[in-house]
Amino acid sequence: MTTRIEKRFAALKAEGRAALVTFTMSGDPDTATSLAVIKALPKAGADLIELGMPFTDPMADGPAIQAAGVRALAAGQTLSKTLAMVRDFRTEDDDTPIVLMGYYNPIYIYGVDRFLVDAKAAGVDGLIVVDLPPEEDEELCIPALKAGVNFIRLATPTTDDKRLPAVLNNTSGFVYYVSITGITGSAAPDATKVAAAVTRIKRHTTLPVAVGFGVRTAEQARMIAQGADGVVVGSALVDVLRASLDKDGKATPLTVKAVADLVADLSQGVRGAKAAAE
């Protein structure tokens, strides 16, 4: 069965452009506002939605996304509430792919089998679990694939040709290329190096390659989109959301619009790459 992720990338390939993949933290700054944000994303130009699962020890995340997770947890966000948000989103949008991104611990505590049943029923299309290497595929990756949920892996600048086949084995949906070494949101990617890395990865796989970490502006998105199948933006969206909050860290009437406006701008950048190529 073709997943929403596969359908979306195929449609965009036919259109001749890259995907804009947006990341926000579920439950940041509260469940209702977070749901309103994700509902606004497709209308603003997001092609795929990554939804963070807040966790108490997010070792791969930079300060902005760590702080978003802290806000979400403080507001009472749980994995069950995240799945409920996806269910609610699906009542209005049955097409936009949703990928849950985070760490294995909350899924392990929830129970892998139960989680996969509930995630699939809610309308989750894929998982990115950053602390599960290929050597532990039996834990979650293989069961997820059997359940019809794409398991998306990260490749980095340090993933050499010897390691790539292991990373790509059992990967589905797309490959997420982390364009810079280090934590999220820390530096801007080099478009020339990124394009070369995407070409190298594509020698090993037919899957689309989406590039993230460090993309903050429409111009950066346009540059990356010229050499990749997708552009992932996370920290910039989390930052603009945080900047819209009041002094107590609560949502304001500007919060949803602030995120949607940046997504609309980034979307123009991604779509501009196609125009530049023609």
Side-chain angles (χ1 to χ4, degrees):
M1 197 177 121
T2 312
T3 64
R4 287 186 189 92
I5 295 171
E6 289 155 356
K7 280 182 193 158
R8 180 57 54 97
F9 272 109
L12 292 176
K13 187 176 183 180
E15 215 179 293
R17 71 169 178 88
L20 175 61
V21 185
T22 59
F23 171 93
T24 54
M25 182 64 71
S26 70
D28 176 27
D30 60 76
T31 304
T33 305
S34 182
L35 178 60
V37 166
I38 66 166
K39 284 183 173 180
L41 292 173
K43 298 180 191 84
D47 297 302
L48 288 87
I49 292 171
E50 282 180 11
L51 201 50
M53 300 177 281
F55 178 49
T56 48
D57 186 24
M59 59 204 173
D61 297 327
I65 291 175
Q66 281 196 13
V70 169
R71 286 192 297 271
L73 291 168
Q77 189 69 5
T78 62
L79 191 47
S80 294
K81 285 184 181 177
T82 299
L83 293 176
M85 280 173 63
V86 177
R87 275 198 303 276
D88 200 329
F89 175 87
R90 284 283 172 239
T91 61
E92 295 174 20
D93 186 325
D94 196 42
D95 297 320
T96 306
I98 291 188
V99 175
L100 295 186
M101 183 172 189
Y103 298 83
Y104 183 44
N105 184 272
I107 296 171
Y108 177 76
I109 289 168
Y110 193 98
V112 168
D113 293 341
R114 177 177 158 235
F115 169 76
L116 289 171
V117 168
D118 292 354
K120 184 77 178 160
V124 171
D125 304 293
L127 299 173
I128 300 173
V129 182
V130 296
D131 56 346
L132 273 186
E135 288 74 16
E136 293 173 32
D137 273 359
E138 296 296 333
E139 290 280 332
L140 179 62
C141 174
I142 305 291
L145 296 178
K146 284 180 180 160
V149 175
N150 288 136
F151 199 86
I152 295 143
R153 280 232 209 269
L154 305 181
T156 71
T158 57
T159 311
D160 61 20
D161 283 333
K162 206 164 119 191
R163 178 67 176 163
L164 253 181
V167 169
L168 296 170
N169 188 32
N170 297 323
T171 297
S172 67
F174 64 95
V175 179
Y176 186 151
Y177 178 66
V178 178
S179 58
I180 42 181
T181 48
I183 54 171
T184 57
S186 52
D190 178 324
T192 312
K193 284 183 184 166
V194 166
V198 170
T199 302
R200 181 172 71 85
I201 292 166
K202 282 180 170 289
R203 285 202 289 267
H204 296 264
T205 182
T206 57
L207 291 171
V209 180
V211 175
F213 280 48
V215 179
R216 307 192 71 84
T217 66
E219 178 56 20
Q220 287 172 343
R222 186 183 69 77
M223 299 280 288
I224 298 298
Q226 286 174 345
D229 302 303
V231 181
V232 187
V233 183
S235 294
L237 298 177
V238 170
D239 281 342
V240 83
L241 183 147
R242 180 188 50 78
S244 77
L245 304 178
D246 67 17
K247 63 180 190 331
D248 299 318
K250 301 282 189 270
T252 68
L254 298 173
T255 299
V256 176
K257 185 178 184 304
V259 179
D261 284 354
L262 179 52
V263 170
D265 195 33
L266 291 161
S267 172
Q268 289 303 311
V270 169
R271 284 164 170 77
K274 180 190 173 187
E278 285 171 351

